[in-house]
Amino acid sequence: MAVALKAFHVSDVPNLDRVPEKPSLSLCSTRFSKGVELNRAASCRIPNFLLIGHRGHGMNILQSSDSRMKAIKENSLLSFNSAAKFPLDFIEFDVQVTKDDFPVIFHDDIILSEENGTIFEKRVTELCLAEFLCYGPQKEAGKEGKCLYRKTKDGKFEKWNVETDDSLCTLQEAFQKVEPSLGFNIELKFDDYKVYQHDHLTHTLQVILQVVFEFARDRPIIFSTFQPDAAQLVRKLQNSYPVYFLTEGGTKTYYDARRNSLAEAMKVCLEGGLQGIVSEIKGVFTDPGAVPKIKGSNLSLLTYGKLNNVPEAVYMQYLMGIDGVIVDFVEEISRTVDGMIKPDEAMIGEERMSEANSKVQFSEKELSFLLKLIPELIQQH
């Protein structure tokens, strides 16, 4: 269960002066969309449909029969720059902080390796940077890293084999070595079942912000996290970049009620002055009536999940007024967006904007149609 933060002022946060002040930015992804407004003061309006690469070029699912899920090592520089070859606005990746205060990019809380036939588990946050970088392929010629494993849903350990492997990396390296026009959706990663004290959250977020402010330059940035206290805290610690609250939208239940529905996610955002929600798409499809409520509350709405690899589901979200999707199949879905969505925006311009805003208000007939169609999509994925 997460510990609720007591009310406090920014001046009360210890060592806040470690985070350099920057003026509030109007963030725009200008790679392929025409100006995507992500600033709270400007209503966080996103006139174009954002396309975001999940963990770069797509996440790895080792037991999947689909070779695309094992093509490139997720959350790596290679994955990020491979994604940059497609018309994406952002890539999404997970950031944790090592015990010696280095932000690194890795999804799982636990890192698994094998030595002499035994699997060893270590928390990423309990490793120092040098230890973390010893896992997987090494940059130094002739040096061999510890073999990485992953735990499957049925509890088995499987060697983390992908078609094209790459080394683990730090947040600083991502800023320095990834195509500079590509936006970063930085997920602030915390253990779902661990209690975090306020001072610990503050320190972790300050370490990450220090790197962001030093190396981001003009790169568009979005922060997101499933940890509600961290989401509200990172908003208090800086006002340069938008903050989104991640939620599974009621598809999974947690002890912290703030994580259990789109309605609760809205409360977290409105109470903390956040800019938007990133929801598991099944949560939105199960409750499509939440979309106009979220948009009517001046919040942006993005989605993630396996259904976002289905072109028809992505197009439906566009029609519903959702602002963007996080996807694994970046090549296929970018083709869908270019073929079905971008032409609408290019041809109609401002008219498409007003239509999209009004389209959010579904009639009972439209809602009925969506509710009949969506369960079939959900059951198939």
Side-chain angles (χ1 to χ4, degrees):
M1 175 183 175
V3 177
L5 287 177
K6 63 180 181 180
F8 63 94
H9 296 287
V10 173
S11 59
D12 297 328
V13 178
N15 301 319
L16 183 56
D17 56 0
R18 290 181 56 194
V19 181
E21 281 295 324
K22 287 185 71 173
S24 181
L25 299 178
S26 175
L27 296 179
C28 293
S29 168
T30 55
R31 295 185 85 232
F32 303 98
S33 299
K34 294 181 180 177
V36 180
E37 186 66 66
L38 293 173
N39 184 279
R40 179 68 177 177
S43 304
C44 195
R45 196 169 63 118
I46 301 182
N48 297 64
F49 194 73
L50 285 181
L51 190 57
I52 303 170
H54 188 208
R55 304 183 201 173
H57 191 268
M59 72 181 292
N60 296 150
I61 300 180
L62 303 180
Q63 63 271 34
S64 174
S65 58
D66 192 324
S67 61
R68 290 173 295 183
M69 306 305 287
K70 296 173 281 191
I72 302 173
K73 173 66 73 63
E74 68 177 36
N75 278 337
S76 67
L77 296 177
L78 179 62
S79 182
F80 301 155
N81 282 316
S82 296
K85 297 174 184 176
F86 299 96
L88 304 180
D89 298 292
F90 286 79
I91 51 170
E92 179 270 352
F93 54 78
D94 311 273
V95 172
Q96 304 182 58
V97 174
T98 61
K99 70 177 182 181
D100 52 349
D101 286 348
F102 285 92
V104 296
I105 299 176
F106 197 77
H107 174 270
D108 303 351
D109 300 315
I110 304 294
I111 196 163
L112 303 170
S113 66
E114 181 267 336
E115 292 178 32
N116 300 320
T118 303
I119 299 291
F120 289 89
E121 302 185 3
K122 293 185 179 178
R123 279 191 175 274
V124 172
T125 53
E126 293 174 357
L127 298 171
C128 67
L129 177 62
E131 291 172 315
F132 173 76
L133 294 177
C134 280
Y135 292 87
Q138 298 296 293
K139 294 168 185 171
E140 189 180 324
K143 188 176 180 183
E144 192 171 329
K146 295 179 181 178
C147 187
L148 282 170
Y149 279 72
R150 251 188 168 168
K151 202 172 190 176
T152 61
K153 286 185 177 178
D154 57 6
K156 294 179 181 177
F157 295 104
E158 190 167 339
K159 193 175 285 189
W160 198 334
N161 288 331
V162 291
E163 188 177 325
T164 310
D165 213 340
D166 196 22
S167 307
L168 301 183
C169 68
T170 66
L171 178 59
Q172 179 178 330
E173 285 180 300
F175 277 119
Q176 294 173 322
K177 298 179 181 180
V178 173
E179 161 60 44
S181 65
L182 186 61
F184 284 177
N185 172 190
I186 300 174
E187 181 183 336
L188 307 166
K189 187 77 177 174
F190 296 95
D191 191 318
D192 287 334
Y193 302 101
K194 191 173 179 181
V195 175
Y196 291 97
Q197 299 301 320
H198 168 244
D199 287 349
H200 176 82
L201 286 177
T202 299
H203 177 76
T204 299
L205 295 173
Q206 285 178 332
V207 169
I208 295 170
L209 288 172
Q210 191 75 31
V211 173
V212 171
F213 280 122
E214 186 173 350
F215 296 100
R217 298 189 178 182
D218 296 327
R219 189 189 298 272
I221 304 288
I222 296 171
F223 288 116
S224 63
T225 182
F226 284 101
Q227 222 290 344
D229 296 324
Q232 294 181 342
L233 181 53
V234 77
R235 179 61 182 151
K236 286 186 168 94
L237 289 174
Q238 58 82 44
N239 64 359
S240 298
Y241 302 114
V243 180
Y244 282 58
F245 181 51
L246 273 158
T247 178
E248 297 192 48
T251 61
K252 200 171 177 181
T253 302
Y254 293 90
Y255 188 69
D256 188 336
R258 295 174 295 176
R259 297 190 56 181
N260 291 340
S261 69
L262 287 169
E264 287 293 330
M266 280 181 60
K267 287 182 188 176
V268 170
C269 291
L270 296 174
E271 288 171 5
L274 311 187
Q275 282 72 28
I277 295 169
V278 185
S279 174
E280 218 293 346
I281 182 53
K282 288 183 182 180
V284 176
F285 277 174
T286 302
D287 182 18
V291 176
K293 294 176 185 175
I294 291 168
K295 305 288 286 191
S297 298
N298 201 26
L299 295 171
S300 168
L301 177 60
L302 307 174
T303 68
Y304 72 93
K306 290 182 182 178
L307 273 172
N308 282 357
N309 295 322
V310 179
E312 295 82 358
V314 170
Y315 190 59
M316 183 179 291
Q317 292 178 67
Y318 168 69
L319 296 176
M320 292 171 71
I322 289 168
D323 296 306
V325 290
I326 299 172
V327 306
D328 293 300
F329 299 160
V330 296
E331 182 175 2
E332 294 81 354
I333 301 303
S334 63
R335 206 160 40 224
T336 295
V337 171
D338 275 349
M340 290 195 289
I341 296 174
K342 297 297 181 186
D344 287 357
E345 294 169 347
M347 286 190 300
I348 304 175
E350 290 301 317
E351 285 183 27
R352 176 71 189 95
M353 267 300 302
S354 60
E355 180 189 328
N357 289 338
S358 63
K359 184 67 180 175
V360 172
Q361 304 298 326
F362 289 113
S363 68
E364 288 300 318
K365 188 175 181 180
E366 287 171 326
L367 276 175
S368 176
F369 169 75
L370 285 171
L371 289 169
K372 286 177 183 176
L373 177 62
I374 285 165
E376 294 182 22
L377 272 174
I378 291 175
Q379 286 173 8
Q380 291 172 20
H381 293 82

